[in-house]
Amino acid sequence: MYLKTLHLKQFRNYHDQQVEFVAPKTILVGDNAQGKSNLLEAVELLATLRSHRALRDRDLVLDGEQVGQIQATLERHESPVDLALTLRSNGRRTVSLNSETLRRQLDFLGVLNAVQFSSLDLELVRGSPGERRNWLDTLLTQLEPVYAYILQQYNTVLRQRKD
Ligand SMILES: Nc1ncnc2c1ncn2[C@@H]1O[C@H](COP(=O)(O)OP(=O)(O)O)[C@@H](O)[C@H]1O
Ligand SMILES: [Mg+2]
């Protein structure tokens, strides 16, 4: 599976940016605050529907706008796939696969697989058990999307026990 194109519309600091990945490897180079991490965050969102640095979708949408979108084309063994995630400042999301809106966001997971490594990952060994669990949850959700559903149920039960 290869990420071939990425189209960022009103996502973070990007107004309308199409990116094509033509080489086997890509290195992003840029000044501070130009949007390197934002681009990686877009890929992370397509892979996991989560961002490790945004708490609310409002932060992901270009300032002053209501709606943003991340689109991508993947090359896969079988056939190419189009993915789109629409983010709204009110928090409602829409996900689509090959231009078809999915009723369950769960079906979006596991299509694009990504691994992220940063210096913060040292927290995996040095940090709290909570951080390790969170990391494992993200990994398992990609390998086995139904895990996202089980996790959601588990968290609901956990919350109810505390109430
Ligand atoms: N929702 C947003 N709307 C507009 N700009 C944003 C938004 N979120 C972040 N930014 C801008 O994105 C820039 C940071 O981009 P980032 O990808 O973290 O930079 P870097 O290239 O250093 O990794 C900052 O200038 C920040 O103001
Ligand atoms: Mg950065």
PDB file of all heavy atoms in Angstrom, residues 45-59:
ATOM      1  N   LEU A  45      -4.464  11.095  10.644  1.00  0.00           N
ATOM      2  CA  LEU A  45      -5.926  11.113  10.760  1.00  0.00           C
ATOM      3  C   LEU A  45      -6.583  10.121   9.808  1.00  0.00           C
ATOM      4  O   LEU A  45      -7.540   9.434  10.172  1.00  0.00           O
ATOM      5  CB  LEU A  45      -6.448  12.524  10.477  1.00  0.00           C
ATOM      6  CG  LEU A  45      -6.442  13.444  11.689  1.00  0.00           C
ATOM      7  CD1 LEU A  45      -6.432  14.902  11.278  1.00  0.00           C
ATOM      8  CD2 LEU A  45      -7.656  13.152  12.577  1.00  0.00           C
ATOM      9  N   LEU A  46      -6.050  10.023   8.598  1.00  0.00           N
ATOM     10  CA  LEU A  46      -6.625   9.072   7.648  1.00  0.00           C
ATOM     11  C   LEU A  46      -6.399   7.633   8.118  1.00  0.00           C
ATOM     12  O   LEU A  46      -7.217   6.751   7.888  1.00  0.00           O
ATOM     13  CB  LEU A  46      -6.017   9.256   6.251  1.00  0.00           C
ATOM     14  CG  LEU A  46      -6.382  10.544   5.514  1.00  0.00           C
ATOM     15  CD1 LEU A  46      -5.715  10.568   4.149  1.00  0.00           C
ATOM     16  CD2 LEU A  46      -7.896  10.661   5.343  1.00  0.00           C
ATOM     17  N   ALA A  47      -5.271   7.400   8.772  1.00  0.00           N
ATOM     18  CA  ALA A  47      -4.955   6.040   9.209  1.00  0.00           C
ATOM     19  C   ALA A  47      -5.725   5.653  10.474  1.00  0.00           C
ATOM     20  O   ALA A  47      -6.158   4.511  10.615  1.00  0.00           O
ATOM     21  CB  ALA A  47      -3.458   5.905   9.447  1.00  0.00           C
ATOM     22  N   THR A  48      -5.899   6.597  11.376  1.00  0.00           N
ATOM     23  CA  THR A  48      -6.435   6.228  12.696  1.00  0.00           C
ATOM     24  C   THR A  48      -7.697   6.987  13.099  1.00  0.00           C
ATOM     25  O   THR A  48      -8.300   6.678  14.121  1.00  0.00           O
ATOM     26  CB  THR A  48      -5.381   6.516  13.790  1.00  0.00           C
ATOM     27  OG1 THR A  48      -5.143   7.933  13.824  1.00  0.00           O
ATOM     28  CG2 THR A  48      -4.064   5.812  13.509  1.00  0.00           C
ATOM     29  N   LEU A  49      -8.049   8.014  12.328  1.00  0.00           N
ATOM     30  CA  LEU A  49      -9.154   8.919  12.674  1.00  0.00           C
ATOM     31  C   LEU A  49      -8.882   9.655  13.986  1.00  0.00           C
ATOM     32  O   LEU A  49      -9.803  10.127  14.646  1.00  0.00           O
ATOM     33  CB  LEU A  49     -10.502   8.182  12.730  1.00  0.00           C
ATOM     34  CG  LEU A  49     -11.059   7.749  11.375  1.00  0.00           C
ATOM     35  CD1 LEU A  49     -12.341   6.930  11.539  1.00  0.00           C
ATOM     36  CD2 LEU A  49     -11.347   8.960  10.478  1.00  0.00           C
ATOM     37  N   ARG A  50      -7.607   9.660  14.365  1.00  0.00           N
ATOM     38  CA  ARG A  50      -7.236  10.389  15.575  1.00  0.00           C
ATOM     39  C   ARG A  50      -6.009  11.245  15.288  1.00  0.00           C
ATOM     40  O   ARG A  50      -5.239  10.961  14.387  1.00  0.00           O
ATOM     41  CB  ARG A  50      -6.892   9.409  16.709  1.00  0.00           C
ATOM     42  CG  ARG A  50      -8.028   8.489  17.052  1.00  0.00           C
ATOM     43  CD  ARG A  50      -7.975   8.029  18.470  1.00  0.00           C
ATOM     44  NE  ARG A  50      -6.754   7.294  18.786  1.00  0.00           N
ATOM     45  CZ  ARG A  50      -6.662   6.479  19.823  1.00  0.00           C
ATOM     46  NH1 ARG A  50      -7.703   6.293  20.604  1.00  0.00           N
ATOM     47  NH2 ARG A  50      -5.549   5.842  20.092  1.00  0.00           N
ATOM     48  N   SER A  51      -5.865  12.269  16.102  1.00  0.00           N
ATOM     49  CA  SER A  51      -4.652  13.065  16.011  1.00  0.00           C
ATOM     50  C   SER A  51      -4.030  13.104  17.391  1.00  0.00           C
ATOM     51  O   SER A  51      -4.738  13.275  18.378  1.00  0.00           O
ATOM     52  CB  SER A  51      -4.979  14.486  15.570  1.00  0.00           C
ATOM     53  OG  SER A  51      -3.912  15.335  15.943  1.00  0.00           O
ATOM     54  N   HIS A  52      -2.700  12.941  17.423  1.00  0.00           N
ATOM     55  CA  HIS A  52      -2.078  12.909  18.739  1.00  0.00           C
ATOM     56  C   HIS A  52      -1.942  14.313  19.319  1.00  0.00           C
ATOM     57  O   HIS A  52      -1.542  14.475  20.453  1.00  0.00           O
ATOM     58  CB  HIS A  52      -0.705  12.219  18.672  1.00  0.00           C
ATOM     59  CG  HIS A  52       0.330  13.020  17.945  1.00  0.00           C
ATOM     60  ND1 HIS A  52       0.339  13.129  16.573  1.00  0.00           N
ATOM     61  CD2 HIS A  52       1.362  13.763  18.387  1.00  0.00           C
ATOM     62  CE1 HIS A  52       1.356  13.903  16.209  1.00  0.00           C
ATOM     63  NE2 HIS A  52       1.982  14.305  17.294  1.00  0.00           N
ATOM     64  N   ARG A  53      -2.269  15.357  18.504  1.00  0.00           N
ATOM     65  CA  ARG A  53      -2.077  16.689  19.057  1.00  0.00           C
ATOM     66  C   ARG A  53      -3.289  17.599  19.006  1.00  0.00           C
ATOM     67  O   ARG A  53      -3.229  18.731  19.479  1.00  0.00           O
ATOM     68  CB  ARG A  53      -0.871  17.371  18.425  1.00  0.00           C
ATOM     69  CG  ARG A  53      -0.932  17.365  16.915  1.00  0.00           C
ATOM     70  CD  ARG A  53       0.359  17.912  16.385  1.00  0.00           C
ATOM     71  NE  ARG A  53       0.123  18.538  15.107  1.00  0.00           N
ATOM     72  CZ  ARG A  53       0.927  19.442  14.582  1.00  0.00           C
ATOM     73  NH1 ARG A  53       1.977  19.843  15.231  1.00  0.00           N
ATOM     74  NH2 ARG A  53       0.658  19.946  13.407  1.00  0.00           N
ATOM     75  N   ALA A  54      -4.385  17.103  18.440  1.00  0.00           N
ATOM     76  CA  ALA A  54      -5.591  17.941  18.440  1.00  0.00           C
ATOM     77  C   ALA A  54      -6.649  17.317  19.330  1.00  0.00           C
ATOM     78  O   ALA A  54      -6.941  16.130  19.223  1.00  0.00           O
ATOM     79  CB  ALA A  54      -6.126  18.081  17.026  1.00  0.00           C
ATOM     80  N   LEU A  55      -7.224  18.097  20.195  1.00  0.00           N
ATOM     81  CA  LEU A  55      -8.269  17.575  21.066  1.00  0.00           C
ATOM     82  C   LEU A  55      -9.629  17.710  20.397  1.00  0.00           C
ATOM     83  O   LEU A  55     -10.511  16.902  20.588  1.00  0.00           O
ATOM     84  CB  LEU A  55      -8.273  18.329  22.400  1.00  0.00           C
ATOM     85  CG  LEU A  55      -7.041  18.094  23.281  1.00  0.00           C
ATOM     86  CD1 LEU A  55      -7.113  18.947  24.533  1.00  0.00           C
ATOM     87  CD2 LEU A  55      -6.940  16.610  23.640  1.00  0.00           C
ATOM     88  N   ARG A  56      -9.767  18.768  19.609  1.00  0.00           N
ATOM     89  CA  ARG A  56     -11.063  19.017  18.968  1.00  0.00           C
ATOM     90  C   ARG A  56     -10.862  19.238  17.480  1.00  0.00           C
ATOM     91  O   ARG A  56      -9.846  19.800  17.055  1.00  0.00           O
ATOM     92  CB  ARG A  56     -11.700  20.287  19.548  1.00  0.00           C
ATOM     93  CG  ARG A  56     -11.868  20.273  21.034  1.00  0.00           C
ATOM     94  CD  ARG A  56     -12.142  21.682  21.517  1.00  0.00           C
ATOM     95  NE  ARG A  56     -11.095  22.596  21.019  1.00  0.00           N
ATOM     96  CZ  ARG A  56     -11.138  23.907  21.162  1.00  0.00           C
ATOM     97  NH1 ARG A  56     -12.174  24.479  21.751  1.00  0.00           N
ATOM     98  NH2 ARG A  56     -10.159  24.671  20.702  1.00  0.00           N
ATOM     99  N   ASP A  57     -11.879  18.842  16.684  1.00  0.00           N
ATOM    100  CA  ASP A  57     -11.772  19.012  15.240  1.00  0.00           C
ATOM    101  C   ASP A  57     -11.689  20.487  14.862  1.00  0.00           C
ATOM    102  O   ASP A  57     -11.145  20.833  13.811  1.00  0.00           O
ATOM    103  CB  ASP A  57     -12.962  18.345  14.539  1.00  0.00           C
ATOM    104  CG  ASP A  57     -12.775  16.838  14.497  1.00  0.00           C
ATOM    105  OD1 ASP A  57     -11.747  16.353  15.031  1.00  0.00           O
ATOM    106  OD2 ASP A  57     -13.645  16.139  13.950  1.00  0.00           O
ATOM    107  N   ARG A  58     -12.229  21.325  15.703  1.00  0.00           N
ATOM    108  CA  ARG A  58     -12.173  22.771  15.466  1.00  0.00           C
ATOM    109  C   ARG A  58     -10.722  23.243  15.232  1.00  0.00           C
ATOM    110  O   ARG A  58     -10.469  24.127  14.419  1.00  0.00           O
ATOM    111  CB  ARG A  58     -12.762  23.481  16.682  1.00  0.00           C
ATOM    112  CG  ARG A  58     -12.690  24.981  16.692  1.00  0.00           C
ATOM    113  CD  ARG A  58     -13.144  25.432  18.062  1.00  0.00           C
ATOM    114  NE  ARG A  58     -14.476  24.866  18.324  1.00  0.00           N
ATOM    115  CZ  ARG A  58     -15.578  25.597  18.365  1.00  0.00           C
ATOM    116  NH1 ARG A  58     -15.496  26.886  18.217  1.00  0.00           N
ATOM    117  NH2 ARG A  58     -16.740  25.042  18.597  1.00  0.00           N
ATOM    118  N   ASP A  59      -9.785  22.600  15.928  1.00  0.00           N
ATOM    119  CA  ASP A  59      -8.373  22.983  15.789  1.00  0.00           C
ATOM    120  C   ASP A  59      -7.784  22.524  14.453  1.00  0.00           C
ATOM    121  O   ASP A  59      -6.753  23.021  14.014  1.00  0.00           O
ATOM    122  CB  ASP A  59      -7.524  22.371  16.918  1.00  0.00           C
ATOM    123  CG  ASP A  59      -8.026  22.802  18.283  1.00  0.00           C
ATOM    124  OD1 ASP A  59      -8.578  23.917  18.377  1.00  0.00           O
ATOM    125  OD2 ASP A  59      -7.865  22.022  19.240  1.00  0.00           O
TER     126      ASP A  59
END
